[in-house]
Amino acid sequence: MTSPLARRVLSGERNAVARAIRLLDDREPAGAEVLRELWSAAAGARVVGVTGPPGAGKSTLVDCLIEAFRARGERVGVAAVDPSSPFTGGAILGDRIRMQRHAADDGVFIRSLATRGHLGGLSASTLDVLAVLAAAGFRTLILETVGVGQDEVEVNRVADSVLLVVAPGAGDAVQTLKAGVMEIAHVFAVNKADQPGADQVARDIEQLLAYREHGPGRADPGAAAGWIPPVVSSVAVEGRGIPELLEALDRHAGWLRSSGEERRRHRERARVAIVEQLRGRLDDALDARLPGRLDEAAARVADGASDPHAEAEALWAELSS
Ligand SMILES: Nc1nc2c(ncn2[C@@H]2O[C@H](COP(=O)(O)OP(=O)(O)OP(=O)(O)O)[C@@H](O)[C@H]2O)c(=O)[nH]1
Ligand SMILES: [Mg+2]
């Protein structure tokens, strides 16, 4: 028996989609129930992650990608992290205006996400939102996150393909890349190619990629070898480079399937989803079942009367009894 809400989501009713997402956001039990009914229908949707430093042009590019996917008749769901960081304050309004031209299009659903739930990560609620959108028939999903912290690593675990957007001048693009962000990208967009320095940024990326191919250590040891991320120049405000970006993303999707990497990534994503739920429950259990005990333990540890290992051991024993 499918519940009325799940049925309405499955038939693509926008109000129902919004309602299901709201229930999940609020961590209402009804949200988990409806998700259970939607999960199998959500399988197999394509998730493209778009990340990169603040102001690189991610939203402008996403807007172009929406248009390109729509031109092929695909229904597109977008989840964009509300940029609440001091770097990007106010940008959300820009996002809304920029993407507004798609608002009247029934084949597009745009949802903003809280930057971080109290679960402490992007993944749990993000995966839920994407699953609802996928079940509602938005089979091409775009996830935009600002790459200033751990989010860009998270996006790699949630998305099938990660598009990393950089621009000349916006801070030190290459410095950003060296800080481990590089490893998570499947396709690079050097956006704002109309501005000075873009060629240099593209060359720097190519160089770092070449080094990584031959240098020591892969960031994702489980990943299949053989994909070399293409570097595409774009001018999002003029729609330049979009066909090339789309081609690169499609090629990556094809490679994922033929290499077996898709299966591995989907399992990794499912594992993240389960662990996030477990973490949430652990937090809840700490609050609900050991009221005050954590504070007391913290005081003892801070005073040197006890150590964190011993206190964790005692709390764990109590939790699992
Ligand atoms: N010159 C130039 N400007 C661009 C280009 N793409 C985007 N912009 C401008 O750059 C600014 C930031 O663009 P957004 O798309 O909001 O960038 P974003 O990466 O989504 O920004 P946050 O979400 O705030 O991190 C806007 O003023 C855009 O109009 C481009 O190719 N060339
Ligand atoms: Mg943006």
Side-chain angles (χ1 to χ4, degrees):
M1 258 304 281
T2 315
S3 70
L5 181 58
R7 207 161 39 234
R8 287 173 53 215
V9 171
L10 290 168
S11 66
E13 252 184 73
R14 301 182 80 87
N15 289 343
V17 171
R19 172 150 176 75
I21 291 174
R22 213 160 36 239
L23 287 171
L24 285 159
D25 269 354
D26 297 345
R27 302 182 76 206
E28 295 280 346
E33 276 162 36
V34 81
L35 192 68
R36 193 172 308 149
E37 298 181 286
L38 299 177
W39 196 261
S40 63
R46 173 186 195 181
V47 183
V48 175
V50 179
T51 192
K58 298 178 294 297
S59 298
T60 316
L61 269 179
V62 167
D63 185 63
C64 296
L65 288 175
I66 294 173
E67 194 173 7
F69 285 126
R70 288 299 290 144
R72 305 202 297 202
E74 294 171 41
R75 290 164 57 80
V76 184
V78 180
V81 170
D82 267 355
S84 56
S85 84
F87 298 107
T88 55
I92 187 68
L93 185 62
D95 284 359
R96 292 256 163 79
I97 291 166
R98 205 163 296 123
M99 296 183 191
Q100 205 147 49
R101 64 197 180 102
H102 300 293
D105 181 352
D106 205 44
V108 179
F109 197 106
I110 298 170
R111 179 60 154 77
S112 49
L113 299 166
T115 306
R116 283 187 176 273
H118 65 286
L119 296 186
L122 178 71
S123 314
S125 61
T126 307
L127 279 164
D128 290 352
V129 170
L130 294 176
V132 172
L133 291 174
F138 300 98
R139 307 298 292 175
T140 301
L141 300 166
I142 302 176
L143 172 63
E144 178 188 336
T145 66
V146 183
V148 283
Q150 281 300 302
D151 283 357
E152 72 272 355
V153 179
E154 296 267 326
V155 78
N156 180 273
R157 300 173 83 184
V158 171
D160 297 297
S161 305
V162 176
L163 172 64
L164 179 55
V165 184
V166 292
D172 187 340
V174 175
Q175 213 47 48
T176 314
L177 296 171
K178 280 183 179 153
V181 180
M182 190 97 192
E183 328 292 354
I184 58 109
H186 303 113
V187 176
F188 287 89
V190 178
N191 192 44
K192 306 196 185 180
D194 55 327
Q195 302 211 331
D199 289 348
Q200 186 60 46
V201 172
R203 272 196 300 274
D204 288 346
I205 295 171
E206 299 274 13
Q207 205 171 11
L208 281 167
L209 286 171
Y211 172 75
R212 187 176 62 166
E213 271 311 293
H214 307 292
R218 297 175 65 84
D220 188 357
W227 176 257
I228 299 172
V231 182
V232 178
S233 293
S234 64
V235 183
V237 279
E238 296 168 14
R240 266 162 57 194
I242 306 307
E244 291 81 359
L245 268 183
L246 207 60
E247 192 271 334
L249 288 168
D250 285 347
R251 209 148 43 76
H252 184 248
W255 177 82
L256 283 176
R257 274 189 295 275
S258 62
S259 65
E261 179 70 359
E262 182 171 55
R263 208 177 149 79
R264 191 191 73 87
R265 289 183 71 79
H266 285 180
R267 288 196 178 165
E268 176 62 19
R269 183 193 307 175
R271 177 197 301 264
V272 171
I274 297 167
V275 170
E276 286 291 332
Q277 290 304 327
L278 284 172
R279 290 223 170 95
R281 282 175 193 229
L282 183 59
D283 282 349
D284 289 349
L286 280 173
D287 290 345
R289 292 181 50 194
L290 305 174
R293 300 269 288 99
L294 190 54
D295 289 340
E296 293 162 23
R300 279 193 296 277
V301 170
D303 295 344
S306 180
D307 69 277
H309 297 263
E311 293 297 339
E313 178 93 34
L315 290 171
W316 184 252
E318 227 171 292
L319 272 180
S320 48
S321 65

